[in-house]
Amino acid sequence: MLRNTLLAIVLVGMAYMFFNLYNTYESRTELHGIAQHFAQDGAKEVGAANLVTAIVVTYRGFDTLGEVTILFLTASIIAFFLKLNDEDFDKEIVHRDTSELLVTASKVLIPIIFMFGVYVFINGHLTPGGGFQGGAIIATGVALMIMANPNIKLNYHVIHWVESVSGVSFVIVGLLGIALAGGFLDNKVLGLGEFGTLFSAGAIPVIYSFVGLKVGAEISNILNKYQKSQKEI
């Protein structure tokens, strides 16, 4: 009885809250404040055709740094709880026979997936995409690789190296923005170039390349460690 009463009180409270939100909601038909500034002057200030990317890695650079840090902490926590050692990475996993179709398709698709992931983060300043999206695409290629061959030995030392170097380089570019331009991750540390071309938007393509490599390495590291923690599949 008490449980049902508490549940009813919570539901009534939530209904009241959403009713107030609905009553006070006013739709906006025009941009105001900082959003208007981004829309009017963003492309000119950062030189990126994809304004969303420009905002994420320049105006909101600290947010991007925080997101990368959260992903790093996630990978570290997973590694801590799995508690793998060097022997775990060399062991053979007992598994069912892999489909010939999957193995053959993986040989064709994996290079395409990697190439597409690189394309997405290199062209993030021109088209929808960027470092997080490109890195996630690269990690799907690693996932397919593991599915096709569960006993594949990925060089986790190389993965750690790529993750570390790209992360440090990302922070260095951010600090160069403070020293040479207008603030952390200011893309004007490099010339803005010709608007709409590959070599444009200053340091944004460089920043997103580092982010893409770091994200791809971290997710791949998670997949690799989870796979090696399995005894049988």
Side-chain angles (χ1 to χ4, degrees):
M1 181 65 183
L2 179 60
R3 177 183 175 185
N4 292 337
T5 302
L6 292 175
L7 182 60
I9 292 172
V10 171
L11 291 175
V12 170
M14 292 182 65
Y16 178 75
M17 179 181 66
F18 283 112
F19 178 76
N20 280 340
L21 288 174
Y22 174 78
N23 259 355
T24 57
Y25 174 76
E26 294 181 5
S27 60
R28 291 186 175 181
T29 57
E30 297 180 358
L31 296 176
H32 297 281
I34 193 169
Q36 188 175 24
H37 172 76
F38 288 158
Q40 290 180 351
D41 303 319
K44 179 177 64 176
E45 289 182 355
V46 298
N50 181 0
L51 188 56
V52 174
T53 296
I55 292 172
V56 169
V57 297
T58 55
Y59 298 113
R60 297 181 58 188
F62 279 112
D63 288 355
T64 301
L65 178 61
E67 291 164 0
V68 171
T69 303
I70 289 171
L71 184 57
F72 169 74
L73 291 174
T74 302
S76 301
I77 291 169
I78 291 174
F80 173 78
F81 281 105
L82 289 178
K83 298 184 183 303
L84 299 177
N85 50 43
D86 291 338
E87 289 75 19
D88 291 315
F89 288 94
D90 295 328
K91 72 179 181 181
E92 292 291 320
I93 299 173
V94 179
H95 62 91
R96 292 173 292 179
D97 291 337
T98 307
S99 164
E100 184 178 351
L101 179 61
L102 177 60
V103 174
T104 305
S106 67
K107 293 178 181 178
V108 176
L109 292 176
I110 287 172
I112 297 174
I113 292 172
F114 287 162
M115 183 173 63
F116 181 58
V118 173
Y119 170 85
V120 167
F121 66 66
I122 287 180
N123 288 272
H125 61 299
L126 301 175
T127 58
F132 282 92
Q133 295 89 334
I137 291 171
I138 290 175
T140 62
V142 174
L144 180 58
M145 192 185 303
I146 293 173
M147 290 171 62
N149 181 11
N151 279 308
I152 189 170
K153 289 181 172 57
L154 300 177
N155 193 325
Y156 63 93
H157 295 295
V158 172
I159 294 176
H160 287 165
W161 184 85
V162 171
E163 179 185 350
S164 301
V165 170
S166 56
V168 171
S169 301
F170 171 72
V171 175
I172 290 174
V173 173
L175 295 176
L176 286 175
I178 297 176
L180 304 177
F184 185 74
L185 286 177
D186 191 324
N187 65 313
K188 295 185 183 65
V189 292
L190 298 177
L192 294 184
E194 183 181 350
F195 184 83
T197 62
L198 180 61
F199 297 102
S200 63
I204 289 180
V206 177
I207 295 169
Y208 255 156
S209 294
F210 289 139
V211 173
L213 291 173
K214 183 167 179 59
V215 170
E218 285 175 343
I219 300 178
S220 299
N221 192 28
I222 292 172
L223 293 170
N224 186 36
K225 288 184 175 179
Y226 179 74
Q227 174 67 9
K228 296 306 179 183
S229 69
Q230 306 302 301
K231 293 183 173 59
E232 182 178 352
I233 59 174

